[in-house]
């Protein structure tokens, strides 16, 4: 019995070390080496942990191999290892970045069906991906889900909302959400002001743009070129 326990402990220690090696290889962009190491450790009788699977999925996503990453997710499940929020975040971020809207929505629904609660980073990622696909209506829906889940928005969230309003060309909505931002206690960032001014300028709301610009100056935020363009 002692020998069995000892061997199990050694294997568990080894998998932690080998996973660390895989993480280093992944950061170097060597996805082939990560996959080779992943295959070798299994042949040696080691059982990949949740962290190990996530490293492989991250490496594949970083290499732009999202389909292979999804295949790895299925293998992870078949191995009776439950994906965690980190697993989903890796894949969702990749889909959002690559503009894969349908895959993004499908995985988001899969995440919720598996009772994994999205955090603010996940909500921001989903909204960003939807806006990348010019689908502001769905982005607003995700924001509503975020509010219903009592997840506090961040500056990034508000910038995404303002961007969504700008895509729709409705300057009044931009002002509405910008007001919500300030009421929630978030101090508007340079990015927030740039988005508002650009949207108001595109909507032809010059007077409102001027007021926001003056507010920006009063807050001692140095305007960029995009802010000036919103006034022209």
């Amino acid at each position: 019995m002692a020998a069995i326990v000892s061997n199990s402990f050694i294997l568990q220690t080894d998998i932690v070390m080998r996973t660390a090696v895989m993480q280093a290889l992944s950061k170097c962009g060597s996805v082939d080496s990560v996959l080779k190491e992943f295959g070798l450790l299994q042949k040696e009788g080691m059982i990949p942990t949740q962290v190990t699977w996530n490293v492989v999925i991250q490496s594949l996503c970083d290499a732009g191999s999202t389909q292979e990453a999804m295949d790895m997710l299925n293998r992870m499940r078949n191995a009776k290892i439950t994906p965690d929020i980190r697993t989903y975040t890796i894949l969702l971020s990749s889909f959002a970045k690559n503009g894969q809207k349908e895959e993004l929505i499908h995985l988001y629904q899969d995440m919720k069906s598996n009772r994994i609660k999205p955090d603010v980073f996940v909500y921001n990622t989903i909204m960003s991906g939807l806006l990348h696909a010019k689908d502001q209506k769905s982005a607003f829906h995700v924001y509503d889900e975020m509010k219903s889940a009592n997840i506090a928005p961040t500056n990034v969230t508000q910038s995404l909302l303002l961007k969504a309003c700008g895509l729709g060309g409705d300057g009044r909505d931009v002002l509405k959400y910008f007001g919500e931002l300030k009421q929630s206690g978030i101090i508007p960032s340079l990015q927030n002001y740039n988005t508002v001014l650009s949207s108001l300028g595109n909507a032809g709301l010059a007077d409102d743009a001027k007021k926001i610009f003056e507010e920006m100056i009063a807050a001692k935020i140095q305007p960029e070129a995009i802010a000036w363009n919103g006034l022209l």
Side-chain angles (χ1 to χ4, degrees), residues 1 5 58 65 68 79 108 129-130 136 153 183 208 212 218:
M1 176 64 73
V5 172
Q58 178 75 71
S65 303
E68 289 83 351
Y108 176 51
L130 291 170
Q136 62 264 39
Q183 289 175 8
D208 290 308
I212 295 298

Side-chain angles (χ1 to χ4, degrees), residues 15-35:
I15 190 63
V16 172
M17 294 177 62
R18 297 285 280 275
T19 298
V21 170
M22 289 168 60
Q23 286 176 321
L25 291 169
S26 179
K27 289 179 180 179
C28 292
S30 184
V31 63
D32 290 338
S33 297
V34 171
L35 293 174

Side-chain angles (χ1 to χ4, degrees), residues 192-223:
N192 293 150
Y193 278 112
N194 285 343
T195 303
V196 173
L197 288 167
S198 178
S199 298
L200 293 175
N202 291 335
L205 299 175
D207 290 341
D208 290 308
K210 182 180 179 181
K211 290 178 182 178
I212 295 298
F213 185 82
E214 291 172 349
E215 177 184 314
M216 181 180 181
I217 297 299
K220 297 183 179 180
I221 296 179
Q222 185 65 36

Side-chain angles (χ1 to χ4, degrees), residues 4-80:
I4 294 175
V5 172
S6 178
N7 287 337
S8 176
F9 175 77
I10 291 172
L11 286 175
Q12 185 63 27
T13 302
D14 283 348
I15 190 63
V16 172
M17 294 177 62
R18 297 285 280 275
T19 298
V21 170
M22 289 168 60
Q23 286 176 321
L25 291 169
S26 179
K27 289 179 180 179
C28 292
S30 184
V31 63
D32 290 338
S33 297
V34 171
L35 293 174
K36 181 179 179 180
E37 185 70 17
F38 186 60
L40 284 174
L41 65 85
Q42 291 177 88
K43 287 181 180 179
E44 294 170 15
M46 300 181 199
I47 301 175
T49 65
Q50 190 181 68
V51 175
T52 311
W53 286 99
N54 285 346
V55 170
V56 178
I57 291 172
Q58 178 75 71
S59 186
L60 288 166
C61 285
D62 288 345
S65 303
T66 51
Q67 184 54 57
E68 289 83 351
M70 283 300 295
D71 292 341
M72 195 62 66
L73 173 64
N74 292 329
R75 284 180 56 186
M76 180 182 184
R77 285 171 168 155
N78 290 336
K80 308 301 181 185

Side-chain angles (χ1 to χ4, degrees), residues 81-226:
I81 301 295
T82 303
D84 62 356
I85 191 169
R86 172 63 179 160
T87 316
Y88 281 100
T89 300
I90 293 167
L91 288 161
L92 289 168
S93 296
S94 185
F95 287 144
K97 181 176 67 176
N98 294 327
Q100 295 173 270
K101 174 186 169 182
E102 297 305 321
E103 292 85 350
L104 180 74
I105 294 174
H106 176 76
L107 190 63
Y108 176 51
Q109 296 301 332
D110 179 80
M111 178 183 186
K112 293 190 293 182
S113 68
N114 282 290
R115 298 182 179 180
I116 295 180
K117 295 181 179 180
D119 58 14
V120 68
F121 183 81
V122 168
Y123 281 117
N124 287 345
T125 299
I126 300 295
M127 290 175 63
S128 178
L130 291 170
L131 292 177
H132 184 70
K134 300 294 189 294
D135 186 355
Q136 62 264 39
K137 182 177 180 180
S138 295
F140 282 130
H141 179 70
V142 171
Y143 176 65
D144 289 338
E145 289 186 6
M146 181 179 174
K147 288 197 297 183
S148 296
N150 294 318
I151 302 294
T154 63
N155 253 314
V156 173
T157 314
Q158 297 294 352
S159 290
L160 290 168
L161 276 174
L162 298 173
K163 180 180 178 181
C165 294
L167 286 174
D170 193 333
R172 295 301 176 189
D173 279 345
V174 173
L175 290 174
K176 171 190 171 185
Y177 283 111
F178 190 57
E180 285 189 9
L181 179 155
K182 292 182 287 186
Q183 289 175 8
S184 68
I186 294 176
I187 299 175
S189 65
L190 173 61
Q191 183 185 12
N192 293 150
Y193 278 112
N194 285 343
T195 303
V196 173
L197 288 167
S198 178
S199 298
L200 293 175
N202 291 335
L205 299 175
D207 290 341
D208 290 308
K210 182 180 179 181
K211 290 178 182 178
I212 295 298
F213 185 82
E214 291 172 349
E215 177 184 314
M216 181 180 181
I217 297 299
K220 297 183 179 180
I221 296 179
Q222 185 65 36
E224 295 180 333
I226 188 173

